[in-house]
Amino acid sequence: MNNELQKNGDDRSPGEPIVEITAMHKWFGDFHVLRDINLTVHKGERIIICGPSGSGKSTLIRCINRLEEHQKGRIIVDGIELTNDLKNIEKIREEVGMVFQHFNLFPHLSILENLTLGPVWVRKVPKAEAEETAMYYLEKVHIAEQALKYPGQLSGGQQQRVAIARSLCMRPKVMLFDEPTSALDPEMIKEVLDVMIDLAQEGMTMIVVSHEMGFAKSAAHRVLFMDEGEIVEENIPVEFFENPQHERTKLFLSQILHME
Amino acid sequence: MVDSSQSIQAEQLKPPITRIGVIGWLRANLFNSVFNSFLTIVTLYFLWKIVPAFVRWAFIDSSWNTTGAACRAAGGACWSIVAKNFRFIIFGFFPYESQWRPLVAMILLFILLLLSSNRRFWRKWLGYAWLIGLFAMGLLLKGGLFGLSSVDSTKWSGLPLTLLLSVFGLTAAYPLGVALALGRQSRMPAIKSLCVVYIETIRGVPLISLLFMSSVMFPLFLPEGITINNILRAQVAIILFTAAYIAEVVRGGLQAIGRGQYEAAESMGLNYSQKMRLIILPQALKIVIPPTVGILISAFKDTSLVVIIGLYDLLKTTQSTLSDPRWMGFSIEAYIFIALIYFAGCFSMSSYSRRLERELYRGN
């Protein structure tokens, strides 16, 4: 992997803020899982969030599309504030795509139907147009020939690529990735990361929770390290990996990088 | 020389005769161990004692279309009780000359059910066909229009009544059950408690008591002068009863769907009704087809309990023929006959569910 992406792949400098999290706290019962989170993500930016298990990184991104509720602070997505207002939540979810660790494709629908469901029912796009869009994105993730199969007939890597295509069909403004490659066999990780790099090259705003440091080094604008619910360190990749500031970051990096 | 000896050695040997064909099957399945051989012999002994006697009673010595006295003289099975009382067993008190009407109604019902069993036919026209069909069936039974004589609902009895109570009962109970299951999952405390109380109360009482209650208590709650048809009371009781059981089965199905499916649907921006209708319910209902069909089969047979509130369903009309002194003592034959009818109904539901499962699980 190289740094080309940062140099010339994405010349558009990050635009206006698309996700603004201010002084956000979250509790699971009595457990303080997210502490004073402040994060602004601009259009076109790619953020990687890493950290030990239990640090709250998945919970953080799940708060952005309201799969989890925050108790304190503000989250504003695409100019809309996240509150208990269902209409706002649904509008935000139309613009925020999510890719899950365990794919979560709909097993009773074909691949094509999985992709056209969102556009047809949420964006009210006519079926023919939705199918065209679906085939376009299936081509992009190199899986067009499986369009009429069912998720159960595909491998993990193929399913994850379909999941990415499914989110893209909604033409979201931001894509959230919750450990997209953690459930994959090593030989399938590359095919999914390649798709994510293509996405990055087109300027998609991405917030990725992952342990794939190679992807962070080559495609991220910023790397965040979280531990025990706090954002401990935040930096550009070069600085983050070569000059970690905090002890906890150094410890984490030594554990993670020694595996590569 | 080497060739000829090789060809002798290459000759195919046949397997020993005691291991193939019929004898081989018997050996492998019925006599493969001492215990199994013993069981086989005991079973064969019982079959030898029972089957010839049954065949003699049911077919050889039996009378098929004679009087009761002749039956008693013959000593075998008296199928004449069915043959001679056929129209009463099937149609009950429906006026004799007009019995072609419930017959046509039942045939219409079977045709519609047959069409609906093939999912390829599930188009708009089928919905219209059902609407027209239901109207036609109602008209045939009730009469009063188009020159058909009016037949009061108190005269509806026998097989048409059983089918009426079952088909409407099950078709209405299913969506009600699904709604209750969804309501029980609701986060709104009022809806949730309402559903829980309903389900647990209904499941706590036998259907018979519900039938009694609907028959006796219903009229007490209604304003002066308004009466509810006896059949309607039974129908409502059956629907309410079956729905509670279906609700619990569907709830099990909803719990079996992983959180990830809910989250994937939500993160796409689907609202509650879309999420349930397109993603969750199709999967949940498919998983619980076996127990659901079990409940529907039980409900079909439970329609026979309406004898308790004086409705003459298939079972009651059969029982009535037995109280006729000419036909006393031939209850076995009569009950075997209606058992075959119930069996036909339940078995077709059961086969259909197996076929439905095969279709739905193809591909995934």
Side-chain angles (χ1 to χ4, degrees), chain A residues 62 65 67 69 90 93-94 96 98 100 104-109 114 117-118 121-122 124 150 153 166 170, chain B residues 187 259-272 274 277-280 282-283 286 362-364:
Chain A
R62 283 157 65 90
N65 69 353
L67 287 181
E69 236 178 82
E90 276 162 27
R93 284 174 174 169
E94 281 179 44
V96 177
M98 184 142 187
F100 298 88
N104 291 335
L105 292 181
F106 306 129
H108 62 299
L109 300 174
N114 261 275
L117 189 98
W121 291 96
V122 183
K124 318 284 186 212
Y150 283 84
Q153 297 169 295
R166 181 179 62 173
M170 290 290 284
Chain B
R187 276 192 255 172
R259 276 247 67 201
Q261 290 291 302
Y262 288 87
E263 288 181 356
E266 284 162 14
S267 64
M268 243 199 272
L270 291 171
N271 63 29
Y272 179 80
Q274 291 167 330
R277 203 164 35 96
L278 301 169
I279 309 296
I280 306 296
Q283 295 182 62
K286 188 165 81 171
R362 213 179 287 146
N364 50 341

Side-chain angles (χ1 to χ4, degrees), chain A residues 48-51 57 177 179-181 193 208-213:
Chain A
I48 307 293
I49 307 180
C50 61
K57 36 191 212 301
F177 291 81
E179 308 218 30
T181 55
L193 286 180
V208 182
V209 171
S210 180
H211 297 295
E212 290 294 321
M213 294 303 143

